[in-house]
Amino acid sequence: MEPGTPDPAPTAPDPPPPPVNVDWSVPPGPQAGHPLDRDVFEASRLRGGPLRPLMVVDALLKEPGAVYRRIWNGEDAGLFAGSIFVMSLAFAAIYGALMGSFGGATQSLYAAIKFPLVLIGSMAICLPSFYVFSSILGSKLSIRQTTLLVLCITGPTATLLMGFAPIAWFFTISTESGPFMAGLHIVMVGIATTFGIGSLPRARAYLLPLSGNRAEAGLGLLAVWVVVYLAVLCQMSTYLRPLLAPGPFFTGEKQLFLSVLFGG
């Protein structure tokens, strides 16, 4: 710099970048990269009249991400809950009727009433504990949203049982082996229940970021709840038996399901 040349004016520092505010109250966009972000459910399908419950259950199987987002945003919660409940009730009643038909027409009617109580009643009993466990694991869902999430477990379970119904019907009319039919139904209900419960980790992993919780809480406590739910489901089946063999609508006999399973 030559003598007598004035010093250059100091340049202002670059402004700091604006803070990044993430609004977790809305679903992440496709840039988040989650596979469930691509699921879309058109609102017009909720106006399907008598077919609306089928549309909702179909979305639950094929576009679960769209259903989970609506649970979080509270969009059409009543329509979704009602549709899933109605279809779960209807599918469970149909499967129960097929199960009881092995013991005759009267038992078919009894089982059509009792099996929905087994499936939906067990989930209703375990709903409060699920809400508490989910809250401990970081969930910010309300009790209403938690109820909807529980229905998202019951819906796929009942739907898969409906898919198993033709198989159950075929063996019902083609065999007289009670132990085989009991084992067949135990396997089918077990597979369907596992399928329904399998939606829990997926829904939780998708909804946790929406509530601002990025941490992956351990799944151990959730696994404990699953074990409790399965125990309640088995005990409910035991308490409301018979479901397969001929007998009265309700015996009132008190017996632990383990003693029935293992012949104690």
Side-chain angles (χ1 to χ4, degrees):
M1 180 180 300
E2 298 180 1
T5 303
D7 294 335
T11 58
D14 295 334
V20 178
N21 295 321
V22 180
D23 185 4
W24 291 105
S25 64
V26 297
Q31 70 276 5
H34 199 288
L36 296 183
D37 290 332
R38 297 190 292 268
D39 293 345
V40 178
F41 182 82
E42 298 177 2
S44 61
R45 295 166 67 181
L46 290 176
R47 296 186 289 271
L51 295 179
R52 182 178 63 203
L54 285 175
M55 298 293 105
V56 173
V57 172
D58 186 66
L60 192 58
L61 296 176
K62 298 179 180 177
E63 296 114 12
V67 178
Y68 299 154
R69 290 195 298 270
R70 285 176 176 266
I71 290 175
W72 172 253
N73 293 328
E75 299 178 33
D76 303 310
L79 290 176
F80 270 85
S83 298
I84 297 173
F85 178 80
V86 166
M87 293 312 301
S88 298
L89 194 66
F91 288 166
I94 293 172
Y95 186 85
L98 285 171
M99 178 190 299
S101 65
F102 184 79
T106 301
Q107 187 59 30
S108 178
L109 176 61
Y110 289 168
I113 298 173
K114 291 193 289 184
F115 189 70
L117 293 176
V118 171
L119 187 64
I120 300 176
S122 299
M123 193 61 75
I125 290 174
C126 295
L127 175 61
S129 61
F130 179 73
Y131 177 74
V132 173
F133 279 33
S134 298
S135 299
I136 294 173
L137 292 175
S139 172
K140 300 297 189 295
L141 296 178
S142 66
I143 185 65
R144 182 184 185 187
Q145 292 169 318
T146 304
T147 303
L148 276 170
L149 190 60
V150 165
L151 285 174
C152 289
I153 301 172
T154 307
T157 300
T159 303
L160 186 55
L161 285 174
M162 188 65 184
F164 283 145
I167 301 173
W169 169 80
F170 172 72
F171 280 101
T172 297
I173 65 172
S174 62
T175 182
E176 295 182 352
S177 174
F180 172 81
M181 290 303 300
L184 179 67
H185 286 295
I186 289 174
V187 170
M188 287 182 173
V189 173
I191 293 174
T193 303
T194 302
F195 174 70
I197 292 175
S199 64
L200 263 181
R202 179 173 55 178
R204 179 176 165 274
Y206 191 61
L207 292 176
L208 265 181
L210 299 184
S211 63
N213 190 342
R214 290 177 175 271
E216 283 294 330
L219 294 177
L221 197 57
L222 192 61
V224 172
W225 179 85
V226 170
V227 172
V228 171
Y229 167 67
L230 292 176
V232 171
L233 183 68
C234 292
Q235 185 62 26
M236 183 75 80
S237 302
T238 302
Y239 186 60
L240 293 179
R241 73 186 193 281
L243 292 169
L244 186 66
F249 180 80
F250 180 65
T251 63
E253 181 183 358
K254 296 181 180 180
Q255 191 172 7
L256 186 63
F257 71 94
L258 291 175
S259 62
V260 175
L261 288 177
F262 298 105

